[in-house]
């Protein structure tokens, strides 16, 4: 008799000694296959054939999947899935609220503590709601946040604005999480904020919008999160609001990508993109007009070799304004605004520390050593 069992990876790993030798191991979300838990299972059953399925055959900072699999068979493209109504079309907006250029990385991803510090900002929460009201008001929405605290604060900001909102994270009790998801599915909850949840396996076809408040260097995480609103429903156009510039690093969700089992050379990654200075829509550079508001394309935004090149006309105008603004006339309410002003006036970086302390603005923890050096 041929037997087949379906189990969670954690369950299989814990009971591996009791499991009969399989002839075939089928892995869903196979981009995780190089993780230690998965490798432990594969190594325990070296003679089993291994078949993996994933929409993103790449693993952040762990080389290619060729350590596990011998062949890669690619299927249809995201563009094909949209054209043939397996996914919904989308509109992508990038109203950037946070600058990640000063963040350090660990294991190929932004350091969690620095990321949390950057994104826990009252200005960001308020602008998130304001932009959502402008671009996706009353649409069922998932918000991806960088920390548990940021998720709670974002949900609170939406609630204060009159929209039913909940915040969930890995420590939320299962019963509470299940109840919240049922309310979200039914429409009683309009905004679902979360930290490190709902990147994979969530199927809510009538979710129309996602808001990205979680910068990431992982292409897999970006695609999983940005496309969560693209589950197909007739006449639906998904809205993706990217407040952290993930599209500048990874491109658009339906860009054609060359997948390989070999380790990815980051220097080969080149992203070309246009941003509309009128409505902040992001679209492919081949178009000469914004497909959403028909504004003429003025200048291409190009991000090459993972290095951001700032050519956004709105930001350039703001930089020129800052250069002509006296310190006594400047409104500096956040760390990011202080750094922006410092760069525009070419002050020494230590000025940022003193200016932030004088204004009771939190200084990122990674600069604590500088505070000690300059005595503030």
């Amino acid at each position: 008799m041929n037997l087949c069992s379906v189990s969670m990876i954690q369950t299989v790993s814990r009971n591996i000694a009791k499991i009969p030798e399989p002839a075939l191991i089928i892995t869903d979300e196979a981009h995780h296959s190089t993780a230690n838990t998965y490798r432990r299972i594969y190594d325990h059953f070296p003679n089993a054939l291994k078949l993996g399925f994933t929409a993103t055959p790449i693993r952040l900072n762990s080389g290619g999947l060729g350590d596990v699999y011998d062949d890669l068979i690619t299927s249809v493209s995201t563009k094909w899935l949209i054209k043939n109504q397996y996914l919904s079309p989308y509109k992508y907006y990038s109203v950037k609220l946070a600058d990640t250029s000063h963040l350090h990385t660990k294991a190929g991803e932004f350091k969690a503590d620095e990321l949390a510090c950057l994104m826990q900002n009252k200005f960001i929460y308020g602008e998130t709601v304001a932009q959502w009201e402008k671009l996706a008001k009353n649409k069922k929405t998932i918000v991806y946040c960088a920390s548990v605290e940021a998720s709670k604060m974002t949900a609170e900001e939406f609630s204060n604005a009159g929209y039913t909102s909940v915040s969930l994270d890995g420590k939320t009790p299962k019963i509470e999480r299940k109840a919240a998801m049922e309310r979200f599915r039914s429409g009683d909850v309009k905004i679902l904020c979360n930290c490190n949840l709902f990147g994979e396996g969530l199927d809510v076809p009538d979710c129309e919008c996602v808001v990205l408040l979680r910068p990431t260097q992982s292409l897999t995480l970006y695609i999983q999160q940005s496309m969560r609103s693209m589950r197909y429903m007739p006449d639906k156009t998904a809205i993706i609001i990217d407040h952290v510039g993930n599209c500048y690093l990874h491109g658009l969700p339906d860009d054609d990508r060359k997948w390989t089992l070999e380790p990815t050379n980051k220097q080969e990654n080149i992203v070309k993109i246009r941003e509309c200075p009128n409505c902040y829509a992001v679209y492919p550079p081949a178009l000469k007009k914004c497909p959403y508001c028909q504004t003429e394309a003025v200048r291409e935004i190009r991000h090459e070799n993972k290095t951001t090149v700032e050519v956004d006309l709105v930001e350039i105008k703001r930089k020129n304004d800052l250069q002509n603004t006296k310190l006594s006339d400047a409104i500096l309410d956040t760390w990011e605004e202080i750094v922006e002003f410092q760069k525009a006036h070419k002050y020494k970086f230590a000025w940022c520390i003193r200016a932030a302390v004088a204004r009771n603005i939190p200084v990122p923890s990674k600069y604590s050593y500088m505070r000690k050096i300059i005595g503030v």
Side-chain angles (χ1 to χ4, degrees):
M1 180 182 294
N2 293 325
L3 298 177
C4 175
S5 64
V6 179
S7 302
M8 298 290 290
I9 187 70
Q10 294 84 358
T11 302
V12 176
S13 181
R14 285 195 302 267
N15 300 282
I16 195 168
K18 303 176 183 179
I19 297 175
E21 177 86 23
L24 174 66
I25 299 175
I26 301 176
T27 304
D28 190 23
E29 306 293 357
H31 49 274
H32 296 300
S33 293
T34 58
N36 290 336
T37 308
Y38 290 75
R39 294 299 295 267
R40 180 170 178 261
I41 296 170
Y42 300 151
D43 293 343
H44 191 78
F45 301 116
N47 297 322
L49 294 176
K50 301 170 186 66
L51 184 63
F53 294 87
T54 177
T56 52
I58 187 172
R59 179 75 171 171
L60 181 63
N61 204 45
S62 298
L65 298 181
D67 288 346
V68 176
Y69 302 104
D70 297 322
D71 295 299
L72 174 65
I73 301 174
T74 57
S75 184
V76 296
S77 66
T78 303
K79 288 186 175 72
W80 186 94
L81 292 171
I82 294 173
K83 181 179 179 180
N84 290 274
Q85 298 185 340
Y86 290 94
L87 292 174
S88 292
Y90 68 91
K91 292 182 178 180
Y92 199 112
Y93 297 92
S94 182
V95 188
K96 196 171 181 181
L97 299 180
D99 178 14
T100 60
S101 62
H102 299 290
L103 298 181
H104 295 92
T105 60
K106 182 178 181 180
E109 182 61 294
F110 293 120
K111 292 187 67 175
D113 57 340
E114 295 182 7
L115 191 58
C117 182
L118 173 65
M119 299 307 297
Q120 287 169 203
N121 185 308
K122 185 71 174 177
F123 165 77
I124 290 176
Y125 307 142
E127 281 299 299
T128 296
V129 175
Q131 294 297 334
W132 177 84
E133 288 180 321
K134 185 184 300 182
L135 299 171
K137 187 174 183 179
N138 291 325
K139 294 186 181 297
K140 186 178 288 190
T141 299
I142 298 176
V143 184
Y144 291 98
C145 301
S147 68
V148 173
E149 184 65 24
S151 178
K152 292 178 179 178
M153 293 297 292
T154 304
E156 181 180 354
E157 199 73 20
F158 273 104
S159 296
N160 291 340
Y163 305 102
T164 52
S165 177
V166 297
S167 172
L168 301 176
D169 59 79
K171 294 184 178 180
T172 304
K174 289 185 178 180
I175 295 178
E176 183 179 333
R177 188 191 305 184
K178 182 179 179 181
M181 285 304 305
E182 289 176 354
R183 293 180 63 204
F184 183 64
R185 292 181 188 278
S186 70
D188 289 341
V189 168
K190 186 70 64 177
I191 312 294
L192 182 63
C193 301
N194 77 99
C195 174
N196 294 332
L197 296 176
F198 312 129
E200 300 171 351
L202 179 67
D203 186 14
V204 184
D206 61 342
C207 172
E208 298 176 87
C209 175
V210 294
V211 177
L212 305 181
L213 289 176
R214 203 275 195 206
T216 181
Q217 293 185 321
S218 167
L219 174 60
T220 294
L221 184 61
Y222 164 67
I223 290 177
Q224 295 278 0
Q225 293 184 351
S226 65
M227 294 181 62
R228 195 52 50 189
S229 60
M230 292 173 61
R231 297 286 187 177
Y232 180 76
M233 282 191 69
D235 303 319
K236 183 178 87 171
T237 297
I239 303 295
I240 304 169
I241 306 174
D242 180 358
H243 284 307
V244 290
N246 282 333
C247 62
Y248 300 143
L249 187 62
H250 303 296
L252 294 173
D254 60 343
D255 279 353
D256 293 325
R257 293 179 170 87
K258 183 179 178 181
W259 301 111
T260 176
L261 293 177
E262 300 301 319
T264 300
N265 182 352
K266 292 185 178 181
Q267 296 303 313
E268 294 176 355
N269 291 321
I270 297 176
V271 176
K272 293 183 179 180
I273 209 166
R274 287 191 192 275
E275 181 177 4
C276 177
N278 180 52
C279 72
Y280 301 102
V282 178
Y283 57 94
L287 302 180
K288 302 305 179 185
K289 289 184 178 181
C290 172
Y292 308 146
C293 71
Q294 303 303 310
T295 298
E296 292 281 347
V298 179
R299 192 171 180 181
E300 183 176 301
I301 298 176
R302 179 176 178 137
H303 298 263
E304 185 169 352
N305 296 341
K306 303 289 189 180
T307 301
T308 302
V309 181
E310 295 289 354
V311 295
D312 183 319
L313 298 183
V314 176
E315 293 298 322
I316 289 175
K317 181 178 183 296
R318 173 168 168 75
K319 182 177 180 180
N320 291 338
D321 288 344
L322 283 176
Q323 289 174 339
N324 296 321
T325 300
K326 296 179 180 179
L327 179 58
S328 58
D329 297 328
I331 300 176
L332 306 175
D333 294 326
T334 68
W335 172 258
E336 289 74 26
E337 290 173 348
I338 288 175
V339 173
E340 193 176 13
F341 190 90
Q342 172 255 334
K343 289 181 177 179
H345 288 264
K346 299 182 179 179
Y347 295 158
K348 292 183 178 179
F349 188 77
W351 176 87
C352 296
I353 308 293
R354 294 190 178 93
V357 172
R359 291 167 172 77
N360 293 319
I361 296 173
V363 177
S365 58
K366 62 181 177 180
Y367 300 122
S368 298
Y369 73 96
M370 289 190 65
R371 291 190 62 173
K372 293 180 180 179
I373 293 174
I374 62 179
V376 296

